[in-house]
């Protein structure tokens, strides 16, 4: 129903500052089209793609490409989904959007907004191996059922906190109790936390805030991108 994952769309008031930060991490920049009237850039580490939108009212969103958008719209209408975004006309970039049970925005576009970037499977950024987009959820069972209905496969896991790992062919989501995780973040796995932090320090990047209290701080660290995106580093238990 959702189509292919395109990007995690992020509001980025200073796109250039965000680009410089992700370049230090080892992300590659993609060539973008002219879909949006505001400044727009895209970066990727090969596993996750981030869309940086310089628009004051641009909401964070999980964005997918669904070529036959009208058919998706018909299916959603039948399910009683209340759309928050509905732009369908001959002179606009067609898109629709709605929120999941925990309020996370899901956005469907009719076409891509950037060109694919080729990266090697082992060409990892300095922050490690991308694991998931971690999302706080009010009710894990309801959220698990919802994302499974949309085509994901939910599996209960315990590390780094009890959560539901929702996997798909294009992107993985982690569903966490909202009491443990207050806001969405990018979660990366590292082999060793101190080695990862030393590698980041060489690029002039250091944690700016403490990780959520529920996490083991001896093996977790939290980076913050210029636009405010939290990047959570987690190391395996020793």
């Amino acid at each position: 129903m959702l189509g292919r994952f395109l990007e995690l769309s992020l509001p980025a008031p200073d796109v250039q500052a965000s680009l410089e930060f992700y370049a230090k991490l080892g992300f590659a920049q993609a060539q973008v089209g002219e879909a949006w009237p505001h400044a727009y850039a895209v970066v990727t580490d090969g596993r996750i793609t981030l869309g940086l939108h310089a628009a004051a009212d641009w909401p964070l969103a999980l964005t997918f490409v669904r070529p036959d958008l009208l058919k998706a719209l018909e299916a959603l209408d039948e399910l009683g989904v209340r759309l928050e975004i509905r732009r369908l006309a001959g002179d606009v970039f067609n898109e629709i959007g709605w929120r999941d049970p925990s309020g996370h925005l899901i956005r469907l576009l009719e076409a891509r907004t950037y060109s694919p970037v080729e990266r090697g499977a082992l060409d990892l950024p300095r922050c490690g191996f991308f694991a998931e987009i971690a999302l706080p959820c009010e009710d894990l069972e309801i959220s698990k059922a919802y994302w499974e209905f949309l085509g994901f496969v939910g599996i209960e896991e315990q590390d780094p906190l009890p959560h539901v790992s929702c996997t798909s062919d294009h992107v993985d989501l982690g569903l966490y109790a909202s009491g443990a995780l207050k806001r969405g973040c990018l979660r990366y796995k590292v082999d060793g936390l101190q080695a990862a932090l030393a590698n980041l320090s060489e690029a002039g990047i250091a944690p700016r805030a403490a990780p959520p209290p529920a996490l083991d701080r001896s093996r977790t660290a939290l980076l913050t991108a210029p636009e405010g995106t939290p990047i959570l580093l987690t190391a395996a238990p020793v």
Side-chain angles (χ1 to χ4, degrees):
M1 180 183 294
L2 294 179
R4 186 180 183 90
F5 181 76
L6 180 72
E7 66 180 35
L8 178 63
S9 301
L10 302 168
D14 189 337
V15 170
Q16 187 58 42
S18 294
L19 282 174
E20 292 172 1
F21 174 83
Y22 288 108
K24 289 179 181 179
L25 283 184
F27 281 59
Q29 187 174 353
Q31 182 176 353
V32 301
E34 298 181 352
W36 310 117
H38 54 264
Y40 168 60
V42 171
V43 293
T44 180
D45 68 357
R47 285 180 53 81
I48 183 64
T49 298
L50 309 177
L52 306 170
H53 295 260
D57 59 347
W58 197 268
L60 184 147
L62 298 155
T63 302
F64 299 78
V65 172
R66 182 69 156 78
D68 198 346
L69 196 54
L70 289 179
K71 283 191 176 180
L73 181 60
E74 291 173 3
L76 292 168
D77 283 342
E78 291 177 1
L79 294 171
V81 171
R82 298 180 61 183
L83 295 180
E84 183 172 312
I85 299 169
R86 183 173 182 147
R87 298 190 184 97
L88 300 166
D91 59 346
V92 299
F93 195 76
N94 287 345
E95 60 174 324
I96 59 175
W98 71 98
R99 296 188 183 271
D100 79 347
S102 295
H104 304 299
L105 184 63
I106 302 167
R107 205 168 195 144
L108 302 191
L109 307 181
E110 198 159 43
R112 296 181 62 90
T113 55
Y114 61 85
S115 300
V117 177
E118 295 294 333
R119 283 179 67 99
L122 299 180
D123 189 12
L124 298 181
R126 288 179 181 268
C127 49
F129 181 83
F130 174 73
E132 64 190 13
I133 300 171
L135 301 173
C137 297
E138 297 174 1
D139 188 307
L140 288 182
E141 287 302 316
I142 290 176
S143 292
K144 177 176 181 287
Y146 188 85
W147 284 100
E148 286 183 331
F149 175 75
L150 293 178
F152 286 71
V153 177
I155 303 172
E156 293 186 9
E157 296 189 356
Q158 297 300 313
D159 188 59
L161 291 172
H163 68 283
V164 176
S165 177
C166 289
T167 63
S168 72
D169 291 339
H170 309 300
V171 69
D172 291 345
L173 309 178
L175 309 180
Y176 292 77
S178 55
L181 193 68
K182 298 299 184 184
R183 61 175 297 185
C185 66
L186 303 175
R187 186 167 78 86
Y188 279 81
K189 294 180 180 179
V190 296
D191 290 333
L193 183 61
Q194 295 310 312
L197 292 176
N199 188 20
L200 288 163
S201 180
E202 291 177 0
I205 298 173
R208 294 172 53 191
L215 291 164
D216 181 352
R217 299 191 182 191
S218 69
R219 60 186 189 92
T220 58
L222 187 65
L223 309 177
T224 306
E227 76 282 352
T229 304
I231 301 173
L232 181 65
L233 311 185
T234 59
V238 178

